[in-house]
Amino acid sequence: MSGPSEPPGDGGGGAAAAGRDPGLQPERTRLAWRRTTLSCTVAAILAARAALHGGTDTLGVLGAALCFLAWLGFLAVAHRRIRDLALHEAGPPAMTRRAAVVAVACSVALAAFAALVV
């Protein structure tokens, strides 16, 4: 009997012998990175708008610039990850620890800067 994750007509031993079937996981992961990048873009734009709305002062410009830098860092990591997932759909390479740390640091920094300017 084949389960929902097994290909139709497979007796169970063929899938393991043929290798790992990633299914739609790389595509879902790629879409998740794009959604997160879009969310970061919206957060950075709203933070910059809030910082620069009603006049510009040094603190507002500094906050907007820091939001922009955090967004750029996240965009670079996300673009590299999306490219890796697209090029290696059968077995994408694991994300490096450095890239993961940069992505988390940029996300946290963007949230912190955005909270400061609002």
Side-chain angles (χ1 to χ4, degrees), residues 41-95:
T41 302
V42 170
I45 289 172
L46 290 177
R49 180 177 178 256
L52 301 176
H53 184 71
T56 57
D57 59 345
T58 306
L59 189 59
V61 171
L62 180 64
L66 291 175
C67 286
F68 181 70
L69 287 177
W71 174 75
L72 276 181
F74 187 85
L75 188 65
V77 171
H79 179 71
R80 176 177 283 179
R81 188 62 184 156
I82 288 170
R83 187 189 63 210
D84 285 347
L85 289 168
L87 291 177
H88 309 283
E89 283 192 6
M95 187 175 190

Side-chain angles (χ1 to χ4, degrees), residues 7 10-19:
D10 192 3

